[in-house]
Amino acid sequence: MGEPKRIPLRIFALLLLVSASSFQLLCASHDSDDAIFYESFDEDFEDRWIVSQKDDYSGVWKHAKSEGHDDYGLLVSEKARKYAIVKELDEAVSLKDGTVVLQFETRLQNGLECGGAYLKYLRPQDAGWKPKEFDNESPYSIMFGPDKCGATNKVHFIFKHKNPKSGEYVEHHLKHPPSVPSDKLSHVYTAILKPDNEVQILIDGEQKKKANFLSADDFEPPLIPPKTIPDTDDKKPEDWDEREKIPDPSAVKPDDWDEDAPVEILDEEAEKPEGWLDDEPEEIDDPEATKPEDWDDEEDGEWEAPKIDNPKCEAAPGCGEWKRPMKRNPAYKGKWHAPLIENPAYKGIWKPRDIPNPAYFELKKPDFEPIAAIGIEIWTMQEGILFDNILIAKDDKIAESYRETTWKPKFTVEKEKQKEEDSEAGSSGLAGFQKNVFDLLYKIADVPFLSAYKPKIHDIIEKGQEQPNMTVGVLVAIVVVIVSIFFKIIFGGKKKPTRVEKTNVEPAETATNQRNGENEENNEKEESSAPPRRRSTRREN
């Protein structure tokens, strides 16, 4: 008997890869049975989804292929339109028990300068809405997905919750949400709602944000109101002294203190430099200027040649009448003020006392309304937005398997094509560098302590993306912003200590700063709006 034939290593590896892929597909098929809802848009949507008949929503939805793929999706086909479409679920989904995963893909094929690409997970129709009348007022439980316009660049996560005290539904927005990817590739957005009140936001399977529904640090306004609030009826006592320091009442101005001494005096030791041209003016008439032929002395006035710098003065230390310069007066002391000392009557910055909040309530977990339908209600200035593979599941492993089998293969192809296009354009290194820079800057903008400056940073990034040759300048500008913020935090000065027992003292600078900002803005407007001076001279070129 001959020796058994050995399978070449490369063929064995290929068989192993095919087997793994087949197993993955089998797993996906099994997971499909476990999904609560799944829409692949492989077939036309018209018999399953209902387009809003409201007049405002004139945007046309299309069943179209994703560019470069045979995979179909739901396409936003026109720019500068409002769109609304809804799909009723066979059975409402409860968000109160166990894990719930909300996931969908979207591809901004023409980019996104101003518009939304988010989904709304709607409450049952007994809340007061109809599918054919679906609009922005239709009540939802959760709104999730990308939105970008101007300073807005974030992946929304908003939930509506019924206040048990007032009975009103309140929108609660996720604080510091992640930014929207800036490319034109397919991306998958995932929100995982956990039974321990945690929510995780994933982009392309990578966790970008983790928050707690009950935390005041994670949602605005907080789901649970504060236990205490300032008493609006509490008034500051008339004898309350908020001055930390006061002028020393025992201080006396020294006898030799001269308040009238000038800041500057003539420098008597100064001497006129050698070579100073006393008889030469600093400016002379331009010898090359000629009176224009169309100049009318009666209408335009007497023509005067324009002035130029006197060339004789360039080689000399100076021209014209020499005057003795000024120097700082060593005897100047200015107006005398008594030195400051600690105020013995200082009581701290006053604030009203805290009282129990009548709107306070306790809650162990959110009382979510069920999801009865999925709606897309957006306004956008861009066409080419493609929605695909909308999923609701009870297990994040199911969502992961869908990402691997539906999104990742497309994304991999798109990334490779993008690399090829960059390479063909001869800018693969620069484009890659720019892409990495912008991705890094968006991540930096998501840092919590930069939240107040996030719109400004996003504005700088967007300008850089519009003009790629500005990449280095954009990077430098943002570094300057961050360094300025860092030094402001480190060296911004110490807060005044308070001697009251109450906490959470709010600074009283906002109104003053706002007024100062308004004054500066008004001054700038006045300067920019001032009429230009009329020139009485002309010069021929």
Side-chain angles (χ1 to χ4, degrees), residues 266 271-273 275-283 310 313 316-325:
L266 285 174
E271 296 181 357
K272 183 169 66 175
W276 188 278
L277 305 178
D278 297 90
D279 299 328
E280 289 290 340
E282 294 182 0
E283 290 184 335
N310 189 344
C313 298
C319 289
E321 181 186 357
W322 182 80
K323 295 181 180 180
R324 197 176 298 278

Side-chain angles (χ1 to χ4, degrees), residues 312-347:
K312 294 182 180 180
C313 298
E314 293 181 2
C319 289
E321 181 186 357
W322 182 80
K323 295 181 180 180
R324 197 176 298 278
M326 303 292 288
K327 69 175 185 178
R328 183 172 180 79
N329 184 3
Y332 172 75
K333 294 185 178 180
K335 187 173 180 60
W336 182 84
H337 296 280
L340 297 178
I341 61 171
E342 297 289 337
N343 182 6
Y346 175 65
K347 294 184 178 181

Side-chain angles (χ1 to χ4, degrees), residues 211-462:
N212 189 294
F213 286 113
L214 304 186
S215 172
D217 295 331
D218 291 335
F219 284 91
E220 178 63 35
L223 181 60
I224 301 176
K227 285 187 177 182
T228 61
I229 57 173
D231 182 2
T232 56
D233 295 328
D234 192 15
K235 304 299 180 185
K236 182 170 71 172
E238 293 183 0
D239 62 346
W240 191 280
D241 196 337
E242 294 183 327
R243 299 173 301 163
E244 184 178 357
K245 291 187 176 183
I246 59 172
D248 185 355
S250 62
V252 179
K253 183 174 71 173
D255 294 335
D256 61 348
W257 191 287
D258 184 2
E259 292 186 332
D260 299 325
V263 179
E264 291 184 329
I265 58 175
L266 285 174
D267 186 357
E268 300 294 345
E269 298 178 356
E271 296 181 357
K272 183 169 66 175
E274 292 185 7
W276 188 278
L277 305 178
D278 297 90
D279 299 328
E280 289 290 340
E282 294 182 0
E283 290 184 335
I284 60 173
D285 292 342
D286 185 354
E288 298 180 2
T290 58
K291 181 179 179 180
E293 294 180 0
D294 61 345
W295 187 276
D296 189 326
D297 291 336
E298 292 184 0
E299 292 185 3
D300 300 327
E302 183 181 354
W303 182 82
E304 296 178 359
K307 298 290 186 180
I308 63 170
D309 292 336
N310 189 344
K312 294 182 180 180
C313 298
E314 293 181 2
C319 289
E321 181 186 357
W322 182 80
K323 295 181 180 180
R324 197 176 298 278
M326 303 292 288
K327 69 175 185 178
R328 183 172 180 79
N329 184 3
Y332 172 75
K333 294 185 178 180
K335 187 173 180 60
W336 182 84
H337 296 280
L340 297 178
I341 61 171
E342 297 289 337
N343 182 6
Y346 175 65
K347 294 184 178 181
I349 304 301
W350 183 87
K351 72 164 191 170
R353 65 174 178 269
D354 288 336
I355 59 174
N357 184 1
Y360 174 75
F361 57 84
E362 293 185 356
L363 205 63
K364 291 186 177 180
K365 59 191 322 179
D367 187 17
F368 288 115
E369 298 285 343
I371 296 173
I374 298 175
I376 306 175
E377 184 275 317
I378 58 174
W379 174 88
T380 177
M381 291 300 294
Q382 272 75 47
E383 78 280 22
I385 300 174
L386 192 80
F387 295 90
D388 200 4
N389 296 314
I390 301 174
L391 172 73
I392 301 178
K394 284 284 188 180
D395 188 346
D396 54 337
K397 295 296 182 183
I398 297 173
E400 182 181 358
S401 70
Y402 273 86
R403 291 195 299 270
E404 290 294 320
T405 56
T406 64
W407 164 77
K408 195 170 185 178
K410 290 186 293 186
F411 181 77
T412 302
V413 170
E414 293 162 11
K415 285 284 287 185
E416 288 300 319
K417 184 178 179 182
Q418 185 183 57
K419 289 181 181 179
E420 291 175 4
E421 291 176 350
D422 292 342
S423 178
E424 290 174 1
S427 59
S428 121
L430 178 59
F433 168 74
Q434 291 168 341
K435 175 67 168 54
N436 292 335
V437 168
F438 291 132
D439 288 345
L440 175 62
L441 295 179
Y442 275 118
K443 290 180 180 180
I444 291 174
D446 286 333
V447 176
F449 88 92
L450 294 175
S451 60
Y453 304 87
K454 188 173 180 179
K456 181 176 180 180
I457 295 175
H458 278 178
D459 184 56
I460 297 174
I461 297 173
E462 289 168 5

Side-chain angles (χ1 to χ4, degrees), residues 27 63 70 73 91 110 118 121 123 139 147 149 155 171 238 330 477:
C27 290
H63 183 237
D70 290 328
E91 186 176 339
N110 298 323
Y118 43 78
Y121 298 86
R123 291 160 51 195
D147 188 21
C149 193
V155 179
E171 283 188 358
E238 293 183 0

